[in-house]
PDB file of all heavy atoms in Angstrom:
ATOM      1  N   THR S   1      -7.313 -23.025   4.708  1.00 62.00           N
ATOM      2  CA  THR S   1      -7.077 -22.506   3.358  1.00 62.00           C
ATOM      3  C   THR S   1      -6.635 -23.660   2.413  1.00 62.00           C
ATOM      4  O   THR S   1      -6.307 -24.762   2.896  1.00 62.00           O
ATOM      5  CB  THR S   1      -5.961 -21.392   3.354  1.00 62.00           C
ATOM      6  OG1 THR S   1      -5.762 -20.953   1.974  1.00 62.00           O
ATOM      7  CG2 THR S   1      -4.678 -22.026   3.849  1.00 62.00           C
ATOM      8  N   LEU S   2      -6.664 -23.433   1.101  1.00 72.00           N
ATOM      9  CA  LEU S   2      -6.133 -24.395   0.146  1.00 72.00           C
ATOM     10  C   LEU S   2      -4.741 -23.947  -0.300  1.00 72.00           C
ATOM     11  O   LEU S   2      -3.871 -24.796  -0.623  1.00 72.00           O
ATOM     12  CB  LEU S   2      -7.067 -24.577  -1.037  1.00 72.00           C
ATOM     13  CG  LEU S   2      -8.394 -25.241  -0.808  1.00 72.00           C
ATOM     14  CD1 LEU S   2      -9.229 -25.340  -2.064  1.00 72.00           C
ATOM     15  CD2 LEU S   2      -8.213 -26.654  -0.212  1.00 72.00           C
ATOM     16  N   LEU S   3      -4.537 -22.645  -0.422  1.00 79.00           N
ATOM     17  CA  LEU S   3      -3.279 -22.096  -0.961  1.00 79.00           C
ATOM     18  C   LEU S   3      -2.621 -21.312   0.201  1.00 79.00           C
ATOM     19  O   LEU S   3      -3.343 -20.773   1.037  1.00 79.00           O
ATOM     20  CB  LEU S   3      -3.482 -21.256  -2.214  1.00 79.00           C
ATOM     21  CG  LEU S   3      -4.150 -21.987  -3.379  1.00 79.00           C
ATOM     22  CD1 LEU S   3      -4.424 -21.003  -4.478  1.00 79.00           C
ATOM     23  CD2 LEU S   3      -3.249 -23.152  -3.914  1.00 79.00           C
ATOM     24  N   ASP S   4      -1.327 -21.095   0.025  1.00 82.00           N
ATOM     25  CA  ASP S   4      -0.563 -20.340   1.055  1.00 82.00           C
ATOM     26  C   ASP S   4      -0.072 -19.059   0.497  1.00 82.00           C
ATOM     27  O   ASP S   4       0.960 -19.086  -0.311  1.00 82.00           O
ATOM     28  CB  ASP S   4       0.591 -21.237   1.559  1.00 82.00           C
ATOM     29  CG  ASP S   4       1.364 -20.547   2.601  1.00 82.00           C
ATOM     30  OD1 ASP S   4       1.068 -19.418   3.046  1.00 82.00           O
ATOM     31  OD2 ASP S   4       2.389 -21.134   3.073  1.00 82.00           O
ATOM     32  N   PRO S   5      -0.683 -17.919   0.781  1.00 86.00           N
ATOM     33  CA  PRO S   5      -0.249 -16.623   0.197  1.00 86.00           C
ATOM     34  C   PRO S   5       0.796 -15.907   1.040  1.00 86.00           C
ATOM     35  O   PRO S   5       0.929 -14.730   0.948  1.00 86.00           O
ATOM     36  CB  PRO S   5      -1.528 -15.821   0.140  1.00 86.00           C
ATOM     37  CG  PRO S   5      -2.251 -16.279   1.360  1.00 86.00           C
ATOM     38  CD  PRO S   5      -1.936 -17.734   1.602  1.00 86.00           C
ATOM     39  N   GLU S   6       1.533 -16.624   1.828  1.00 87.00           N
ATOM     40  CA  GLU S   6       2.554 -15.913   2.716  1.00 87.00           C
ATOM     41  C   GLU S   6       3.523 -15.050   1.985  1.00 87.00           C
ATOM     42  O   GLU S   6       3.847 -13.924   2.460  1.00 87.00           O
ATOM     43  CB  GLU S   6       3.305 -16.979   3.573  1.00 87.00           C
ATOM     44  CG  GLU S   6       4.333 -16.439   4.464  1.00 87.00           C
ATOM     45  CD  GLU S   6       3.748 -15.508   5.490  1.00 87.00           C
ATOM     46  OE1 GLU S   6       2.600 -15.692   5.899  1.00 87.00           O
ATOM     47  OE2 GLU S   6       4.471 -14.567   5.919  1.00 87.00           O
ATOM     48  N   PRO S   7       3.993 -15.475   0.786  1.00 90.00           N
ATOM     49  CA  PRO S   7       4.942 -14.587   0.055  1.00 90.00           C
ATOM     50  C   PRO S   7       4.402 -13.266  -0.292  1.00 90.00           C
ATOM     51  O   PRO S   7       5.101 -12.302  -0.571  1.00 90.00           O
ATOM     52  CB  PRO S   7       5.306 -15.424  -1.193  1.00 90.00           C
ATOM     53  CG  PRO S   7       5.051 -16.773  -0.829  1.00 90.00           C
ATOM     54  CD  PRO S   7       3.865 -16.776   0.106  1.00 90.00           C
ATOM     55  N   LEU S   8       3.058 -13.115  -0.366  1.00 91.00           N
ATOM     56  CA  LEU S   8       2.418 -11.839  -0.793  1.00 91.00           C
ATOM     57  C   LEU S   8       2.769 -10.759   0.210  1.00 91.00           C
ATOM     58  O   LEU S   8       2.877  -9.583  -0.195  1.00 91.00           O
ATOM     59  CB  LEU S   8       0.942 -12.042  -0.879  1.00 91.00           C
ATOM     60  CG  LEU S   8       0.112 -10.842  -1.266  1.00 91.00           C
ATOM     61  CD1 LEU S   8       0.547 -10.303  -2.663  1.00 91.00           C
ATOM     62  CD2 LEU S   8      -1.386 -11.100  -1.212  1.00 91.00           C
ATOM     63  N   THR S   9       3.042 -11.047   1.415  1.00 91.00           N
ATOM     64  CA  THR S   9       3.333 -10.054   2.433  1.00 91.00           C
ATOM     65  C   THR S   9       4.586  -9.303   2.080  1.00 91.00           C
ATOM     66  O   THR S   9       4.628  -8.046   2.016  1.00 91.00           O
ATOM     67  CB  THR S   9       3.477 -10.677   3.843  1.00 91.00           C
ATOM     68  OG1 THR S   9       2.256 -11.334   4.218  1.00 91.00           O
ATOM     69  CG2 THR S   9       3.808  -9.647   4.837  1.00 91.00           C
ATOM     70  N   ALA S  10       5.636 -10.045   1.736  1.00 92.00           N
ATOM     71  CA  ALA S  10       6.950  -9.429   1.364  1.00 92.00           C
ATOM     72  C   ALA S  10       6.789  -8.661   0.096  1.00 92.00           C
ATOM     73  O   ALA S  10       7.421  -7.561  -0.119  1.00 92.00           O
ATOM     74  CB  ALA S  10       8.021 -10.458   1.353  1.00 92.00           C
ATOM     75  N   THR S  11       5.995  -9.215  -0.847  1.00 93.00           N
ATOM     76  CA  THR S  11       5.819  -8.523  -2.158  1.00 93.00           C
ATOM     77  C   THR S  11       5.135  -7.197  -1.994  1.00 93.00           C
ATOM     78  O   THR S  11       5.526  -6.208  -2.643  1.00 93.00           O
ATOM     79  CB  THR S  11       5.028  -9.474  -3.064  1.00 93.00           C
ATOM     80  OG1 THR S  11       5.770 -10.705  -3.309  1.00 93.00           O
ATOM     81  CG2 THR S  11       4.784  -8.815  -4.412  1.00 93.00           C
ATOM     82  N   LEU S  12       4.099  -7.139  -1.218  1.00 92.00           N
ATOM     83  CA  LEU S  12       3.462  -5.892  -0.918  1.00 92.00           C
ATOM     84  C   LEU S  12       4.376  -4.843  -0.322  1.00 92.00           C
ATOM     85  O   LEU S  12       4.371  -3.680  -0.728  1.00 92.00           O
ATOM     86  CB  LEU S  12       2.212  -6.118  -0.017  1.00 92.00           C
ATOM     87  CG  LEU S  12       1.007  -6.820  -0.608  1.00 92.00           C
ATOM     88  CD1 LEU S  12       0.032  -7.152   0.506  1.00 92.00           C
ATOM     89  CD2 LEU S  12       0.374  -6.015  -1.671  1.00 92.00           C
ATOM     90  N   ARG S  13       5.148  -5.266   0.548  1.00 92.00           N
ATOM     91  CA  ARG S  13       6.115  -4.293   1.219  1.00 92.00           C
ATOM     92  C   ARG S  13       7.136  -3.853   0.230  1.00 92.00           C
ATOM     93  O   ARG S  13       7.564  -2.659   0.307  1.00 92.00           O
ATOM     94  CB  ARG S  13       6.825  -4.968   2.377  1.00 92.00           C
ATOM     95  CG  ARG S  13       5.855  -5.311   3.586  1.00 92.00           C
ATOM     96  CD  ARG S  13       6.530  -6.132   4.613  1.00 92.00           C
ATOM     97  NE  ARG S  13       5.566  -6.426   5.722  1.00 92.00           N
ATOM     98  CZ  ARG S  13       5.820  -7.301   6.654  1.00 92.00           C
ATOM     99  NH1 ARG S  13       6.984  -8.009   6.672  1.00 92.00           N
ATOM    100  NH2 ARG S  13       4.920  -7.536   7.621  1.00 92.00           N
ATOM    101  N   ARG S  14       7.504  -4.635  -0.733  1.00 92.00           N
ATOM    102  CA  ARG S  14       8.518  -4.250  -1.770  1.00 92.00           C
ATOM    103  C   ARG S  14       7.819  -3.341  -2.812  1.00 92.00           C
ATOM    104  O   ARG S  14       8.471  -2.353  -3.271  1.00 92.00           O
ATOM    105  CB  ARG S  14       8.985  -5.527  -2.485  1.00 92.00           C
ATOM    106  CG  ARG S  14      10.150  -5.166  -3.463  1.00 92.00           C
ATOM    107  CD  ARG S  14      10.699  -6.377  -4.082  1.00 92.00           C
ATOM    108  NE  ARG S  14       9.808  -6.990  -5.120  1.00 92.00           N
ATOM    109  CZ  ARG S  14       9.145  -8.182  -4.894  1.00 92.00           C
ATOM    110  NH1 ARG S  14       9.329  -8.902  -3.807  1.00 92.00           N
ATOM    111  NH2 ARG S  14       8.371  -8.615  -5.852  1.00 92.00           N
ATOM    112  N   MET S  15       6.597  -3.524  -3.110  1.00 92.00           N
ATOM    113  CA  MET S  15       5.867  -2.771  -4.138  1.00 92.00           C
ATOM    114  C   MET S  15       5.321  -1.446  -3.674  1.00 92.00           C
ATOM    115  O   MET S  15       5.299  -0.479  -4.433  1.00 92.00           O
ATOM    116  CB  MET S  15       4.698  -3.592  -4.722  1.00 92.00           C
ATOM    117  CG  MET S  15       5.089  -4.836  -5.555  1.00 92.00           C
ATOM    118  SD  MET S  15       3.610  -5.749  -6.050  1.00 92.00           S
ATOM    119  CE  MET S  15       2.602  -4.481  -6.881  1.00 92.00           C
ATOM    120  N   ILE S  16       4.866  -1.398  -2.407  1.00 95.00           N
ATOM    121  CA  ILE S  16       4.038  -0.326  -1.931  1.00 95.00           C
ATOM    122  C   ILE S  16       4.634   0.253  -0.666  1.00 95.00           C
ATOM    123  O   ILE S  16       4.816  -0.474   0.344  1.00 95.00           O
ATOM    124  CB  ILE S  16       2.627  -0.698  -1.701  1.00 95.00           C
ATOM    125  CG1 ILE S  16       2.021  -1.310  -2.995  1.00 95.00           C
ATOM    126  CG2 ILE S  16       1.770   0.405  -1.203  1.00 95.00           C
ATOM    127  CD1 ILE S  16       0.806  -2.132  -2.829  1.00 95.00           C
ATOM    128  N   THR S  17       4.835   1.590  -0.593  1.00 95.00           N
ATOM    129  CA  THR S  17       5.135   2.290   0.673  1.00 95.00           C
ATOM    130  C   THR S  17       3.811   2.757   1.228  1.00 95.00           C
ATOM    131  O   THR S  17       3.290   3.822   0.789  1.00 95.00           O
ATOM    132  CB  THR S  17       6.074   3.390   0.407  1.00 95.00           C
ATOM    133  OG1 THR S  17       7.256   2.990  -0.287  1.00 95.00           O
ATOM    134  CG2 THR S  17       6.513   4.104   1.699  1.00 95.00           C
ATOM    135  N   PHE S  18       3.274   2.013   2.185  1.00 96.00           N
ATOM    136  CA  PHE S  18       1.898   2.281   2.617  1.00 96.00           C
ATOM    137  C   PHE S  18       1.766   3.681   3.303  1.00 96.00           C
ATOM    138  O   PHE S  18       0.738   4.280   3.200  1.00 96.00           O
ATOM    139  CB  PHE S  18       1.432   1.154   3.573  1.00 96.00           C
ATOM    140  CG  PHE S  18       1.082  -0.103   2.783  1.00 96.00           C
ATOM    141  CD1 PHE S  18       1.971  -1.108   2.685  1.00 96.00           C
ATOM    142  CD2 PHE S  18      -0.183  -0.263   2.238  1.00 96.00           C
ATOM    143  CE1 PHE S  18       1.683  -2.266   1.957  1.00 96.00           C
ATOM    144  CE2 PHE S  18      -0.546  -1.476   1.530  1.00 96.00           C
ATOM    145  CZ  PHE S  18       0.437  -2.447   1.374  1.00 96.00           C
ATOM    146  N   GLU S  19       2.815   4.085   3.952  1.00 96.00           N
ATOM    147  CA  GLU S  19       2.767   5.450   4.590  1.00 96.00           C
ATOM    148  C   GLU S  19       2.478   6.529   3.574  1.00 96.00           C
ATOM    149  O   GLU S  19       1.918   7.575   3.866  1.00 96.00           O
ATOM    150  CB  GLU S  19       4.061   5.740   5.349  1.00 96.00           C
ATOM    151  CG  GLU S  19       4.343   4.807   6.496  1.00 96.00           C
ATOM    152  CD  GLU S  19       4.960   3.459   6.116  1.00 96.00           C
ATOM    153  OE1 GLU S  19       5.141   3.263   4.882  1.00 96.00           O
ATOM    154  OE2 GLU S  19       5.228   2.639   7.030  1.00 96.00           O
ATOM    155  N   ASP S  20       2.889   6.309   2.336  1.00 97.00           N
ATOM    156  CA  ASP S  20       2.707   7.278   1.288  1.00 97.00           C
ATOM    157  C   ASP S  20       1.252   7.464   0.937  1.00 97.00           C
ATOM    158  O   ASP S  20       0.825   8.564   0.393  1.00 97.00           O
ATOM    159  CB  ASP S  20       3.526   6.994   0.075  1.00 97.00           C
ATOM    160  CG  ASP S  20       5.059   7.153   0.265  1.00 97.00           C
ATOM    161  OD1 ASP S  20       5.436   7.808   1.298  1.00 97.00           O
ATOM    162  OD2 ASP S  20       5.815   6.739  -0.566  1.00 97.00           O
ATOM    163  N   ILE S  21       0.417   6.480   1.149  1.00 97.00           N
ATOM    164  CA  ILE S  21      -0.975   6.592   0.810  1.00 97.00           C
ATOM    165  C   ILE S  21      -1.602   7.737   1.673  1.00 97.00           C
ATOM    166  O   ILE S  21      -2.223   8.655   1.190  1.00 97.00           O
ATOM    167  CB  ILE S  21      -1.749   5.257   1.022  1.00 97.00           C
ATOM    168  CG1 ILE S  21      -1.227   4.201   0.061  1.00 97.00           C
ATOM    169  CG2 ILE S  21      -3.270   5.498   0.868  1.00 97.00           C
ATOM    170  CD1 ILE S  21      -1.866   2.810   0.309  1.00 97.00           C
ATOM    171  N   HIS S  22      -1.409   7.592   2.970  1.00 96.00           N
ATOM    172  CA  HIS S  22      -1.944   8.605   3.882  1.00 96.00           C
ATOM    173  C   HIS S  22      -1.249  10.008   3.589  1.00 96.00           C
ATOM    174  O   HIS S  22      -1.994  11.046   3.635  1.00 96.00           O
ATOM    175  CB  HIS S  22      -1.688   8.223   5.374  1.00 96.00           C
ATOM    176  CG  HIS S  22      -2.209   9.250   6.306  1.00 96.00           C
ATOM    177  ND1 HIS S  22      -3.579   9.481   6.505  1.00 96.00           N
ATOM    178  CD2 HIS S  22      -1.542  10.099   7.102  1.00 96.00           C
ATOM    179  CE1 HIS S  22      -3.726  10.422   7.403  1.00 96.00           C
ATOM    180  NE2 HIS S  22      -2.579  10.784   7.833  1.00 96.00           N
ATOM    181  N   GLY S  23       0.043   9.963   3.358  1.00 96.00           N
ATOM    182  CA  GLY S  23       0.715  11.209   3.033  1.00 96.00           C
ATOM    183  C   GLY S  23       0.110  11.910   1.823  1.00 96.00           C
ATOM    184  O   GLY S  23      -0.077  13.152   1.771  1.00 96.00           O
ATOM    185  N   ASN S  24      -0.198  11.157   0.798  1.00 97.00           N
ATOM    186  CA  ASN S  24      -0.817  11.745  -0.426  1.00 97.00           C
ATOM    187  C   ASN S  24      -2.155  12.270  -0.190  1.00 97.00           C
ATOM    188  O   ASN S  24      -2.563  13.249  -0.728  1.00 97.00           O
ATOM    189  CB  ASN S  24      -0.777  10.707  -1.548  1.00 97.00           C
ATOM    190  CG  ASN S  24       0.666  10.485  -2.080  1.00 97.00           C
ATOM    191  OD1 ASN S  24       1.530  11.294  -2.004  1.00 97.00           O
ATOM    192  ND2 ASN S  24       0.861   9.290  -2.616  1.00 97.00           N
ATOM    193  N   VAL S  25      -2.965  11.507   0.601  1.00 97.00           N
ATOM    194  CA  VAL S  25      -4.354  11.965   0.911  1.00 97.00           C
ATOM    195  C   VAL S  25      -4.311  13.271   1.697  1.00 97.00           C
ATOM    196  O   VAL S  25      -5.087  14.227   1.442  1.00 97.00           O
ATOM    197  CB  VAL S  25      -5.167  10.888   1.671  1.00 97.00           C
ATOM    198  CG1 VAL S  25      -6.453  11.490   2.159  1.00 97.00           C
ATOM    199  CG2 VAL S  25      -5.398   9.684   0.809  1.00 97.00           C
ATOM    200  N   ALA S  26      -3.367  13.355   2.614  1.00 95.00           N
ATOM    201  CA  ALA S  26      -3.324  14.551   3.494  1.00 95.00           C
ATOM    202  C   ALA S  26      -2.604  15.803   2.804  1.00 95.00           C
ATOM    203  O   ALA S  26      -2.805  16.893   3.248  1.00 95.00           O
ATOM    204  CB  ALA S  26      -2.499  14.228   4.764  1.00 95.00           C
ATOM    205  N   ASP S  27      -1.876  15.547   1.720  1.00 95.00           N
ATOM    206  CA  ASP S  27      -1.152  16.575   1.044  1.00 95.00           C
ATOM    207  C   ASP S  27      -2.091  17.348   0.073  1.00 95.00           C
ATOM    208  O   ASP S  27      -2.505  16.757  -0.964  1.00 95.00           O
ATOM    209  CB  ASP S  27       0.041  16.021   0.277  1.00 95.00           C
ATOM    210  CG  ASP S  27       0.956  17.123  -0.241  1.00 95.00           C
ATOM    211  OD1 ASP S  27       0.546  18.321  -0.329  1.00 95.00           O
ATOM    212  OD2 ASP S  27       2.136  16.749  -0.661  1.00 95.00           O
ATOM    213  N   PRO S  28      -2.346  18.632   0.264  1.00 92.00           N
ATOM    214  CA  PRO S  28      -3.242  19.345  -0.649  1.00 92.00           C
ATOM    215  C   PRO S  28      -2.637  19.568  -2.066  1.00 92.00           C
ATOM    216  O   PRO S  28      -3.342  19.840  -2.949  1.00 92.00           O
ATOM    217  CB  PRO S  28      -3.445  20.699   0.060  1.00 92.00           C
ATOM    218  CG  PRO S  28      -2.287  20.862   0.919  1.00 92.00           C
ATOM    219  CD  PRO S  28      -1.917  19.483   1.377  1.00 92.00           C
ATOM    220  N   GLU S  29      -1.320  19.360  -2.160  1.00 92.00           N
ATOM    221  CA  GLU S  29      -0.707  19.476  -3.439  1.00 92.00           C
ATOM    222  C   GLU S  29      -0.846  18.247  -4.357  1.00 92.00           C
ATOM    223  O   GLU S  29      -0.615  18.225  -5.509  1.00 92.00           O
ATOM    224  CB  GLU S  29       0.765  19.748  -3.303  1.00 92.00           C
ATOM    225  CG  GLU S  29       1.115  21.047  -2.576  1.00 92.00           C
ATOM    226  CD  GLU S  29       0.536  22.226  -3.341  1.00 92.00           C
ATOM    227  OE1 GLU S  29       0.689  22.279  -4.620  1.00 92.00           O
ATOM    228  OE2 GLU S  29       0.037  23.147  -2.705  1.00 92.00           O
ATOM    229  N   VAL S  30      -1.279  17.080  -3.737  1.00 94.00           N
ATOM    230  CA  VAL S  30      -1.519  15.879  -4.415  1.00 94.00           C
ATOM    231  C   VAL S  30      -3.000  15.686  -4.676  1.00 94.00           C
ATOM    232  O   VAL S  30      -3.829  15.812  -3.782  1.00 94.00           O
ATOM    233  CB  VAL S  30      -1.019  14.633  -3.652  1.00 94.00           C
ATOM    234  CG1 VAL S  30      -1.264  13.338  -4.384  1.00 94.00           C
ATOM    235  CG2 VAL S  30       0.565  14.805  -3.418  1.00 94.00           C
ATOM    236  N   ALA S  31      -3.355  15.394  -5.926  1.00 88.00           N
ATOM    237  CA  ALA S  31      -4.785  15.229  -6.273  1.00 88.00           C
ATOM    238  C   ALA S  31      -5.319  13.831  -5.838  1.00 88.00           C
ATOM    239  O   ALA S  31      -5.587  13.010  -6.752  1.00 88.00           O
ATOM    240  CB  ALA S  31      -5.009  15.467  -7.735  1.00 88.00           C
ATOM    241  N   LEU S  32      -5.445  13.645  -4.535  1.00 96.00           N
ATOM    242  CA  LEU S  32      -6.024  12.375  -4.060  1.00 96.00           C
ATOM    243  C   LEU S  32      -6.922  12.655  -2.929  1.00 96.00           C
ATOM    244  O   LEU S  32      -6.462  13.002  -1.797  1.00 96.00           O
ATOM    245  CB  LEU S  32      -4.873  11.413  -3.574  1.00 96.00           C
ATOM    246  CG  LEU S  32      -5.316  10.054  -3.171  1.00 96.00           C
ATOM    247  CD1 LEU S  32      -6.037   9.224  -4.265  1.00 96.00           C
ATOM    248  CD2 LEU S  32      -4.137   9.199  -2.593  1.00 96.00           C
ATOM    249  N   ARG S  33      -8.174  12.543  -3.187  1.00 96.00           N
ATOM    250  CA  ARG S  33      -9.212  12.828  -2.121  1.00 96.00           C
ATOM    251  C   ARG S  33      -9.351  11.649  -1.168  1.00 96.00           C
ATOM    252  O   ARG S  33      -9.510  11.810  -0.004  1.00 96.00           O
ATOM    253  CB  ARG S  33     -10.589  13.047  -2.762  1.00 96.00           C
ATOM    254  CG  ARG S  33     -10.681  14.235  -3.707  1.00 96.00           C
ATOM    255  CD  ARG S  33     -12.073  14.521  -4.098  1.00 96.00           C
ATOM    256  NE  ARG S  33     -12.200  15.371  -5.224  1.00 96.00           N
ATOM    257  CZ  ARG S  33     -13.230  16.136  -5.520  1.00 96.00           C
ATOM    258  NH1 ARG S  33     -14.297  16.115  -4.707  1.00 96.00           N
ATOM    259  NH2 ARG S  33     -13.237  16.846  -6.661  1.00 96.00           N
ATOM    260  N   ALA S  34      -9.288  10.464  -1.700  1.00 97.00           N
ATOM    261  CA  ALA S  34      -9.578   9.230  -0.893  1.00 97.00           C
ATOM    262  C   ALA S  34      -9.032   8.028  -1.538  1.00 97.00           C
ATOM    263  O   ALA S  34      -9.013   7.889  -2.743  1.00 97.00           O
ATOM    264  CB  ALA S  34     -11.063   9.078  -0.627  1.00 97.00           C
ATOM    265  N   CYS S  35      -8.603   7.120  -0.653  1.00 98.00           N
ATOM    266  CA  CYS S  35      -8.224   5.738  -1.123  1.00 98.00           C
ATOM    267  C   CYS S  35      -8.971   4.746  -0.217  1.00 98.00           C
ATOM    268  O   CYS S  35      -9.039   4.965   1.012  1.00 98.00           O
ATOM    269  CB  CYS S  35      -6.742   5.508  -0.920  1.00 98.00           C
ATOM    270  SG  CYS S  35      -6.234   3.828  -1.294  1.00 98.00           S
TER     271      CYS S  35
END
């Protein structure tokens, strides 16, 4: 690589609760068919 994106890992974890994506897709009360 030319650049080092290692800090992005911690930033993603801070910004996004990834478990909620699947939870929202599976929840019929949430209007999310697919991500």
Side-chain angles (χ1 to χ4, degrees):
T1 182
L2 291 179
L3 301 174
D4 180 3
E6 180 60 31
L8 180 60
T9 300
T11 300
L12 286 173
R13 292 171 181 170
R14 186 178 72 249
M15 291 176 55
I16 302 161
T17 305
F18 284 94
E19 295 82 0
D20 288 348
I21 297 176
H22 180 70
N24 287 334
V25 171
D27 188 345
E29 298 298 318
V30 177
L32 183 63
R33 301 188 194 205
C35 172

